[in-house]
Amino acid sequence: MATHDPHPHAGQLTRLLFIGYVWPEPRSSAASGHVMQLLQCFIEQGWQITFASPATEGPHKADLRSLGIDECSIELNNSSFDTFVSELDPHIVVFDQFMIEEQFGWRVEKQCPGALRILETSDLQSLRHARQAILRDILKADAQGADLTELFKPDHHGLFTRMAASDLAQREIAALYRCDLNLMTSDVEMQLLNERFGVAAQLLHWCPLMLEGSPASTTGFAERAHFLSIGNFRHAPNWDAVLWMKNAVWPLIRKQLPHAQLHVYGAYTPPKATALHNAAQGFLVKDWAEDALQVMAAARVCLAPLRFGAGIKGKLIDAMLCGTPSVTTPIGSEAMQGTLPWPGMIAETAQAIADAAVQLYQNQPSWEQAQRDGWQLLQTRYGYPTHCASLIGRIEQLRNDLPRHRLNNFTGAMLRHHQHKSTQYMAQWIEAKNRLA
């Protein structure tokens, strides 16, 4: 009688293909930082890793080759990818964000149907867009946006109602179903997907930002000065936060601290952001930070008044790492603290945010307690060894039992079938049209 081998892949060199939405720039965004943490975790397993992307390389791209990772540029709507993935024959394919799964998932399915499919979500984009739409509605009724109660209340039913009819949510959640495992940085989003959208827990895995070691010793309260805001300007929630600070929050802080300065850093600074620079008001737009942790460690308080967004916030993780207390909103802190105290303060109005920022800036005991709370939070929820081991364990479990796992995800199998057929016909039509052009 044949026996089941519990470790059918033992001794086999695992080939992993990571298809990136962009080439990772870990110093420009938290999403890229998370990608680099995942790659490091895979490298430590001795896996053969290829990183491919259809994106143009940016100025701050990580040097993947120095890490032993093969790099390959690929094109959208090009059958050459079929040859590439067939020859590579990966055991595991990681899609970076759902749009990449839409573009390349059916080709992977056609060439390597037995490959484990993993989606790195970064955040739930349809949730972020739903919150942005709620904010727009609030601002239409009141341009000052003084009452943000509806925006900040934890109403999963209301969010589901707004998200469910959207094209974006239907596309994104279909991609989740088509994959064997979906990496979520936010356990709140996992709850929303499971309880409201019916996505089975077996398809979801909590994998937040992963940090190694303990925070380095940092400068104390007296050696620090100024407020700091940091974040990629291409990310809509960051730009909205900067505008809210400029127009509402910062004037209230300057009323109480007339000589205070806010240093605003961000990758890909557009002219509209540079135009906000005003030295007389202490509002200083500083462009891209060569070393984000260095500028964070020099600031006394980090401001992150996010009015919409999703996932967890890399800037707030960096603040904890540098021992810098932060002031944010319920959306900024969402899914980040669990049951532990926030390392700073959480507020919902411009006045409350300003008052909290001033209190932290002036009160050394409160500031030092917030710093300790941040280090405790990092240690409890964001340890690299724990999350890396959990992820690899989950991957190996799925590889050893993939047929049964997929049998239990009939919706995913159905969606993969229809995606394969429809996109195959579309690709054939595009290629035929190109030949005739």
Side-chain angles (χ1 to χ4, degrees), residues 343-364:
M345 296 188 186
I346 300 168
E348 299 187 7
T349 66
Q351 187 65 63
I353 290 168
D355 291 344
V358 170
Q359 181 182 341
L360 271 176
Y361 197 85
Q362 294 183 313
N363 189 311
Q364 184 170 349

Side-chain angles (χ1 to χ4, degrees), residues 326-334 337 341-342 344-348 352-353 356:
S326 60
V327 179
T328 190
T329 64
I331 285 176
S333 65
E334 181 180 86
Q337 68 191 102
W342 183 254
M345 296 188 186
I346 300 168
E348 299 187 7
I353 290 168

